[in-house]
Amino acid sequence: MSTYQTVNPATGETVKEYDTLDAAGVEQALESAHQGYLSWRTTPIEERSRILSRVAEIYTERADELARSISLEMGKPVREAKGEVQLSAAIYAYYAEHGPSFLAEETLDVPGADSSVVQRRPIGALLGVMPWNFPYYQVARFAGPNLMVGNTVLLKHAPSCPASALLMEEIFRDAGLPEDAYLNIFATNEQIADMIADPRVQGVSLTGSERAGTAVAETAGRNLKKVVLELGGSDVFIVLDSADMGATVKAAARARLGNGGQACNAAKRLIVTEEYYDDFVEQLTAAFAATKTGDPLDETTKLGPMSSQAAADTLVEQVEDAVSKGATVLTGGGKVDGPGAYVQPTLLADVTPEMRAFAEELFGPVGVVYKVKDAAEALALANDSAYGLSGSVWSADAERAREVAEGLDVGMAFVNEHGTTMPGLPFGGVKRSGVGRELGPWGMDEFVNKKLVRVSAK
């Protein structure tokens, strides 16, 4: 059986299989990316910008086709898939517009020479290891800024998204990007380790599990390669108070169930002060219970299957572990009867530290609600996690909420919104959620040579 295959998670049907690279294919990809870098780095910035702008246009032109592909491969409802396509297009357009100014020389006010400037220059071929949950968006936030810088990209996508991976490579070609500036590679984990170690690869970016990030970071560290890691999260949604509980609950349900709950920055822990807890839980339970699963290719579907049967099995095991140790199931709690990797929208209460659901990331449509006395207790519970990706605080008093948000040990804190992703906002976490930042000007600063050029006439 091929490592890379399209399996429809709504039915379990294997649609198509793809062969992985052999040793000669790995060598060819490495050499092509390296030779491509030697040429692409000298391509005028204006030309790089023009190509990325055209990439954005093609994403918009082919939005229906692109959306259908990921709906089929990983189960994202097609309406959400179209939103991901447009976000990806916006990222390429953002770097096409702003990339040239981000690469401008920085003049330093340091005496003793005629001039001291810092230049941002490319460093070489980069390896991207991408996940299945946002097949286009994750690639865009890595490839967009780095192609703009002048680096080249070797892209290893998730084995469950091969058709989508090939579509992205095709779009880069159609936009005029040289073939050796972006190469899709169907590589094994062992081949990826060898590629990280190869001197022609200058850096690696991974978005994925903590386990995968640890393996990549270990190999990169041994070979002195720069890494950017965007890993798991157990993000909080803290409700201090609410002037409109219906609107707050709607936001919470969307923050937990969007993308089938399969987002690193989804609202997985819902922490509510005791005065508002009962009302919040009653309404959120009803909202979860009313959310029905369906065919991801149906425009009316709001919750599709999980990405695979294995992922669904793991999530249900986490729920069953919690229930066996005393957790309360407010709604849901298991798989949906019938074919496909469907899991019921599930809400748990009374989760305690000895349960897997307390410390592990719940990557699917399962939320955990906690009652706390006040903001101080909410903050302490929020920070009692190995993860630190993002979190949100909700209150009619925005300044009060901001004080709590500033105390969160996370890379991204929001007040009265959750998980906002825009091309100009930095994305990344702390603790076991990863290292480095993507998007905005910060995304162009990770894999560059910040080169000092100091000139004295003497």
Side-chain angles (χ1 to χ4, degrees):
M1 179 180 293
S2 171
T3 303
Y4 286 76
Q5 54 185 337
T6 295
V7 178
N8 184 349
T11 64
E13 174 195 4
T14 298
V15 178
K16 189 174 180 179
E17 298 183 350
Y18 301 77
D19 293 330
T20 54
L21 293 175
D22 58 15
V26 170
E27 171 59 28
Q28 181 180 357
L30 286 166
E31 186 61 18
S32 293
H34 174 64
Q35 293 299 325
Y37 163 69
L38 298 178
S39 174
W40 181 243
R41 67 182 297 184
T42 66
T43 301
I45 291 175
E46 295 76 15
E47 176 65 4
R48 296 181 217 158
S49 174
R50 184 196 66 77
I51 290 172
L52 288 185
S53 181
R54 181 57 187 145
V55 170
E57 292 172 354
I58 297 174
Y59 266 71
T60 300
E61 293 165 3
R62 299 176 65 175
D64 289 346
E65 176 191 8
L66 288 162
R68 180 179 175 82
S69 179
I70 57 175
S71 293
L72 180 65
E73 289 197 309
M74 52 74 62
K76 190 189 302 285
V78 71
R79 289 199 308 175
E80 290 188 12
K82 290 178 180 178
E84 181 182 338
V85 172
Q86 291 306 316
L87 175 57
S88 303
I91 291 170
Y92 290 118
Y94 174 87
Y95 284 110
E97 178 181 357
H98 298 284
S101 63
F102 294 157
L103 292 173
E105 286 188 348
E106 180 182 355
T107 300
L108 305 181
D109 184 15
V110 180
D114 292 327
S115 68
S116 298
V117 300
V118 172
Q119 301 173 336
R120 285 167 169 78
R121 295 292 185 258
I123 61 173
L126 306 176
L127 176 62
V129 182
M130 296 293 115
W132 47 261
N133 58 332
F134 289 93
Y136 303 131
Y137 160 65
Q138 307 280 10
V139 173
R141 70 187 197 192
F142 165 63
N146 284 300
L147 289 171
M148 188 67 229
V149 166
N151 296 317
T152 55
V153 170
L154 291 157
L155 201 291
K156 180 231 180 283
H157 219 310
S160 58
C161 297
S164 304
L166 290 173
L167 273 175
M168 284 184 281
E169 185 179 49
E170 179 184 309
I171 287 173
F172 279 120
R173 302 285 182 273
D174 291 348
L177 187 73
E179 290 188 10
D180 50 9
Y182 179 101
L183 294 93
N184 179 73
I185 51 173
F186 290 152
T188 66
N189 291 340
E190 293 75 19
Q191 289 171 331
I192 289 300
D194 291 340
M195 295 175 89
I196 294 172
D198 192 283
R200 289 166 291 191
V201 170
Q202 297 300 308
V204 57
S205 177
L206 176 140
T207 299
S209 69
E210 184 180 340
R211 177 188 58 79
T214 299
V216 164
E218 180 181 4
T219 304
R222 282 200 307 269
N223 292 278
L224 299 179
K225 303 293 177 69
K226 171 70 181 289
V227 296
V228 168
L229 303 174
E230 197 273 280
L231 307 178
S234 188
D235 292 9
V236 292
F237 187 105
I238 298 174
V239 179
L240 300 178
D241 58 71
S242 179
D244 184 348
M245 186 59 76
T248 303
V249 167
K250 184 177 180 180
R254 183 170 59 249
R256 173 65 284 215
L257 299 179
N259 201 46
Q262 301 167 115
C264 50
N265 62 338
K268 301 179 178 80
R269 295 182 292 153
L270 304 130
I271 301 172
V272 189
T273 54
E274 56 188 1
E275 180 181 351
Y276 296 89
Y277 179 84
D278 289 343
D279 189 12
F280 178 86
V281 169
E282 180 182 359
Q283 291 195 43
L284 187 62
T285 300
F288 270 47
T291 303
K292 305 302 180 184
T293 57
D295 180 357
L297 294 174
D298 186 332
E299 291 277 356
T300 65
T301 294
K302 294 184 178 179
L303 184 65
M306 291 189 62
S307 65
S308 68
Q309 192 59 57
D313 291 344
T314 297
L315 186 66
V316 171
E317 288 170 3
Q318 291 171 303
V319 171
E320 291 174 344
D321 171 80
V323 173
S324 72
K325 295 172 181 174
T328 301
V329 176
L330 300 174
T331 186
K335 297 177 183 176
V336 175
D337 292 336
Y342 290 92
V343 174
Q344 298 169 334
T346 299
L347 199 60
L348 299 176
D350 306 312
V351 169
T352 52
E354 69 272 13
M355 302 172 188
R356 292 175 60 188
F358 184 87
E360 294 181 7
E361 181 176 23
L362 299 173
F363 213 65
V366 177
V368 179
V369 290
Y370 296 92
K371 181 193 295 187
V372 294
K373 180 177 62 177
D374 53 24
E377 186 177 343
L379 188 59
L381 178 58
N383 288 336
D384 185 15
S385 173
Y387 297 108
L389 189 56
S390 76
S392 61
V393 184
W394 298 72
S395 172
D397 184 341
E399 283 305 310
R400 177 191 182 209
R402 176 174 177 164
E403 290 179 6
V404 176
E406 289 181 346
L408 290 172
D409 294 335
V410 297
M412 302 171 286
F414 301 93
V415 171
N416 293 330
E417 58 183 73
H418 188 93
T420 303
T421 298
M422 300 175 69
L425 294 177
F427 192 103
V430 296
K431 300 195 285 189
R432 299 191 75 84
S433 288
V435 294
R437 291 293 180 270
E438 295 179 300
L439 297 178
W442 306 273
M444 286 188 66
D445 258 3
E446 291 290 353
F447 295 104
V448 295
N449 174 14
K450 297 174 187 175
K451 182 178 179 180
L452 171 65
V453 178
R454 185 168 163 89
V455 179
S456 296
K458 297 177 182 178

